[in-house]
Amino acid sequence: MYPRLEIDIQKIRHNAKLLVDKCKKENIQIAAVTKVYCAFPEIVEAIKDTGIKYIADSRIQNLKKLKHINLPKILLRIPMMSEVEELVRYVDISLNSEIDVIRKIDQEAKKINKVQKIALMVDLGDLREGYFNEEELFDCIEQVLKLENIKLVGVGTNLTCYGAIIPSKENTQKLVDIAKKIEKRYKIDIDFISAGNSSSLHLIDKNQMPQGVSNLRLGEAIALGRETAYGDKIEGAYQDAFKLICEIVELKEKPSVPIGEIGMDAFGNKPVYEDRGIRKRAIIGIGKQDINISAITPIDTKIDILGASSDHLILDVTESDINYKVGDKVEFNLEYGALMSAATSEYVYKVFKG
Ligand SMILES: *Cc1c(COP(=O)(O)O)cnc(C)c1O
């Protein structure tokens, strides 16, 4: 069945192992982030014994699905007040930045006789989640330490997400310094110092990862073999564990400029066309309703993507060395946004290999 997302589980497993080894040298443990592939249990099963120490996801729904996997679960997204009751059942460590939510976690944890672990998020400049003001952070900690069913185990930060700020030795060191300050001031152990995501890996290569960082939360690096500060490939990792395969439904020679008055396309944009004469065009059975079309690349590099509507993607196959026919398959590599949407889409079939 097509379109399909073909998933090579062994390649993902290889990437996870490679990253575990890379981080081990710096005494950093990995939380494998599973959200981009909707925490498919087939993939998580394949990576669970590679040495990763945690499973992390933004959605409790996904973590719930992985209840049978014997690794501690981290909830990545700041929890909603309304999901706290679920949280205490399915999450081992949550990342938090609001005392009211933490109080609610304390209440719900008490009801089921649990001590719930939390890490506090610190905003080092990316301006997404976390305490920006250090005094506010310390105020929060003082209140947290009074809560009987909450255990503060760490601090975390997230960079390169909203503000696209690149992790540096300096901003990462700040997180370690804050952790040390907390330990000294309150005489508690802060063992979980979670410095970032796939955009922090470049610090290891440059020998600039501050001592004391104990955790990284890696999603894209494991799934797509890329670090995300500069978008570079990770040496020795696979970038093609995921492949999108679609079927040609029409193949015809047509002019490259539509005939008639140009109005608006299906999405309200007024398109511009370059006249390249008669071209061989293939329509494949995938569209904007199925996945995010802007982040896919044909593996046949001689194919150009001309455009897409809700259900059809039009390709120029004139230059290709392959003599495509109706019913043939065309394969694509996926970037993060395309993988996320393909994994999530109910219109894309998932096929696991290896
Ligand atoms: C998504 C996410 C990650 C993983 O990011 P990658 O760039 O895929 O490694 C890490 N931390 C948080 C808080 C996230 O939301």
Side-chain angles (χ1 to χ4, degrees):
M1 301 270 254
Y2 299 89
R4 68 163 62 162
L5 182 66
E6 214 172 78
I7 303 163
D8 188 328
I9 288 174
Q10 290 312 320
K11 287 186 177 173
I12 303 172
R13 183 180 162 82
H14 169 92
N15 288 358
K17 266 193 190 151
L18 183 94
L19 288 158
V20 164
D21 289 343
K22 189 181 177 94
C23 291
K24 199 182 265 167
K25 292 184 199 125
E26 309 276 330
N27 295 314
I28 293 175
Q29 298 182 329
I30 289 184
V33 174
T34 54
K35 65 192 185 194
V36 71
Y37 47 82
C38 305
F40 294 139
E42 291 87 343
I43 300 179
V44 183
E45 288 284 351
I47 63 171
K48 68 177 183 199
D49 62 351
T50 52
I52 58 168
K53 279 290 177 312
Y54 305 89
I55 300 290
D57 203 288
S58 311
R59 287 164 181 78
I60 296 178
Q61 253 168 310
N62 285 350
L63 294 177
K64 206 168 165 176
K65 235 167 35 183
L66 303 175
K67 199 162 170 40
H68 63 288
I69 296 205
N70 194 17
L71 283 172
K73 316 290 186 321
I74 299 174
L75 180 66
L76 293 170
R77 182 163 60 194
I78 302 296
M80 296 176 222
M81 197 80 94
S82 57
E83 65 185 355
V84 169
E85 211 181 317
E86 291 267 286
L87 183 153
V88 296
R89 284 178 172 76
Y90 301 108
V91 175
D92 295 289
I93 305 176
S94 58
L95 308 183
N96 290 81
S97 64
E98 290 290 350
I99 186 66
D100 289 345
V101 177
I102 299 170
R103 283 216 176 86
K104 173 90 171 152
I105 297 175
D106 179 59
Q107 284 167 14
E108 292 297 332
K110 198 166 289 167
K111 286 186 194 164
I112 59 165
N113 278 322
K114 187 181 176 193
V115 174
Q116 187 70 35
K117 292 176 184 166
I118 67 162
L120 290 172
M121 293 302 275
V122 181
D123 189 334
L124 296 175
D126 198 56
L127 304 185
R128 199 175 77 177
E129 72 271 50
Y131 283 93
F132 188 73
N133 179 306
E134 209 173 291
E135 297 227 328
E136 249 179 70
L137 171 70
F138 282 100
D139 277 354
C140 171
I141 293 172
E142 274 165 34
Q143 300 183 58
V144 163
L145 294 177
K146 290 180 198 148
L147 301 173
E148 281 176 19
N149 292 68
I150 296 286
K151 183 176 165 61
L152 174 64
V153 296
V155 289
T157 196
N158 197 55
L159 290 160
T160 341
C161 264
Y162 170 74
I165 297 302
I166 289 179
S168 65
K169 190 177 174 175
E170 292 74 27
N171 58 24
T172 304
Q173 182 65 49
K174 271 193 202 160
L175 184 73
V176 178
D177 292 346
I178 286 171
K180 283 188 186 146
K181 226 170 170 175
I182 298 170
E183 287 190 321
K184 210 166 143 198
R185 200 186 281 191
Y186 302 105
K187 314 253 173 321
I188 54 174
D189 289 331
I190 297 292
D191 296 328
F192 182 78
I193 302 179
S194 187
N197 53 45
S198 302
S199 69
S200 293
L201 288 168
H202 76 104
L203 293 177
I204 296 180
D205 296 329
K206 293 174 184 154
N207 233 337
Q208 290 184 350
M209 183 61 84
Q211 280 269 324
V213 168
S214 68
N215 176 270
L216 288 178
R217 308 173 307 269
L218 302 181
E220 183 160 351
I222 296 175
L224 292 173
R226 281 186 191 276
E227 67 80 43
T228 54
Y230 305 97
D232 290 337
K233 291 178 183 175
I234 294 166
E235 214 182 294
Y238 291 104
Q239 284 76 42
D240 60 352
F242 297 86
K243 226 168 29 178
L244 179 72
I245 309 177
C246 307
E247 186 171 319
I248 298 178
V249 296
E250 182 190 297
L251 194 95
K252 293 192 191 307
E253 300 214 329
K254 293 187 188 182
S256 34
V257 179
I259 320 300
E261 185 189 353
I262 293 177
M264 281 189 284
D265 68 12
F267 291 89
N269 306 307
K270 191 159 184 161
V272 182
Y273 301 97
E274 182 195 352
D275 191 353
R276 303 178 69 193
I278 303 284
R279 308 289 291 177
K280 192 163 150 199
R281 298 154 69 98
I283 298 180
I284 57 173
I286 193 165
K288 290 183 185 176
Q289 187 160 15
D290 303 299
I291 69 153
N292 176 0
I293 296 296
S294 63
I296 61 173
T297 320
I299 292 176
D300 178 347
T301 54
K302 293 183 174 168
I303 292 180
D304 280 333
I305 296 179
L306 293 174
S309 56
S310 310
D311 330 302
H312 301 86
L313 181 70
I314 308 168
L315 307 174
D316 185 331
V317 297
T318 318
E319 309 295 334
S320 176
D321 302 324
I322 300 167
N323 185 22
Y324 289 103
K325 293 183 294 298
V326 170
D328 281 357
K329 310 298 180 284
V330 182
E331 301 186 342
F332 298 84
N333 286 320
L334 301 100
E335 288 168 39
Y336 192 86
L339 173 56
M340 183 179 72
S341 60
T344 309
S345 175
E346 63 171 298
Y347 302 114
V348 177
Y349 298 91
K350 301 353 180 236
V351 180
F352 298 91
K353 281 184 12 183

